Amino acid sequence: GTAWQLKLAVLLLVPRPGSTQASRTGQVDTIGIQRAVSAWMQHHRAPALSVAIALDGQPTWSAGFGLADPAHGVRATSSTSYRLASITKSITATAVMMLAEKGLLDLHAPIQRYCPAYPAKHASITGRLLLAHLAGVRHHSWTEAMWPNTRHFESVTAALDVFKNDDLIAQPGTQYHYSWPGYTILGCAI
């Protein structure tokens, strides 16, 4: 899918030992946090992690851990961006449903009403079908699966160019086929 990026933020409120007013005054046990992050990274074999802490809604502390680009020795910082991959689908689905709840997106309307850059197919594709992976839109081709796309697209509509002219692989509403491109169409609709 598209290369959506988001800074990883972890909200931790850890008072300093012996400080009774730690949470009210904004004190943060950074040594304890660093130990916890290091242990988590080692356990999960994560090359990098960025952490931000806020107290009472205000940024208090942030840091990067590990290597954002291990091949080139580039250290992670508090502002390192990370590729979200399929986590983007949850964010996209939430945004679509928020728009639907507000009456701004009809889940049963042809998706071209909201994403005119995606051409009409032989059967109607709706937001509901795309959300459920029932629209008949393909997933990765064999080549794409072997060499994942890390290309940055300047817009969601530019990302559609990869698959928008492909035929549907099933009649919409008849078969489940997991589809990252389907969620790119939803991103366009948003």
Side-chain angles (χ1 to χ4, degrees):
T2 60
W4 289 31
Q5 296 179 335
L6 178 71
K7 293 177 187 174
L8 179 61
V10 179
L11 300 176
L12 297 172
L13 306 176
V14 183
R16 260 196 248 170
S19 175
T20 58
Q21 298 181 2
S23 61
R24 284 190 306 169
T25 60
Q27 302 297 322
V28 176
D29 179 7
T30 58
I31 294 171
I33 292 167
Q34 290 171 357
R35 285 184 189 137
V37 168
S38 294
W40 186 91
M41 288 177 62
Q42 184 175 9
H43 176 48
H44 293 282
R45 297 174 37 186
L49 181 70
S50 297
V51 177
I53 296 174
L55 294 171
D56 298 323
Q58 297 299 313
T60 302
W61 178 83
S62 63
F65 299 87
L67 297 176
D69 183 353
H72 296 98
V74 178
R75 299 206 51 80
T77 69
S78 59
S79 60
T80 298
S81 293
Y82 297 88
R83 186 175 175 90
L84 290 178
S86 285
I87 293 171
T88 303
K89 289 179 188 69
S90 299
I91 297 166
T92 300
T94 300
V96 166
M97 294 307 293
M98 289 172 70
L99 291 170
E101 198 172 65
K102 292 179 180 180
L104 299 173
L105 191 149
D106 179 355
L107 294 175
H108 302 287
I111 201 65
Q112 290 79 10
R113 178 186 296 177
Y114 308 101
C115 180
Y118 185 71
K121 302 297 179 178
H122 69 275
S124 183
I125 295 174
T126 66
R128 185 189 74 74
L129 293 171
L130 289 163
L131 284 168
H133 301 278
L134 294 169
V137 177
R138 73 170 179 88
H139 188 44
H140 295 295
S141 68
W142 183 85
T143 306
E144 290 165 340
M146 293 302 293
W147 294 280
N149 182 2
T150 57
R151 191 170 95 207
H152 174 75
F153 295 98
E154 292 302 316
S155 67
V156 176
T157 55
L160 296 173
D161 290 340
V162 174
F163 63 88
K164 73 180 183 183
N165 295 319
D166 294 354
D167 292 330
L168 297 178
I169 59 173
Q171 179 71 20
T174 64
Q175 297 177 20
Y176 173 87
H177 290 280
Y178 184 82
S179 171
W180 67 260
Y183 271 71
T184 303
I185 298 167
L186 289 168
C188 173
I190 294 168

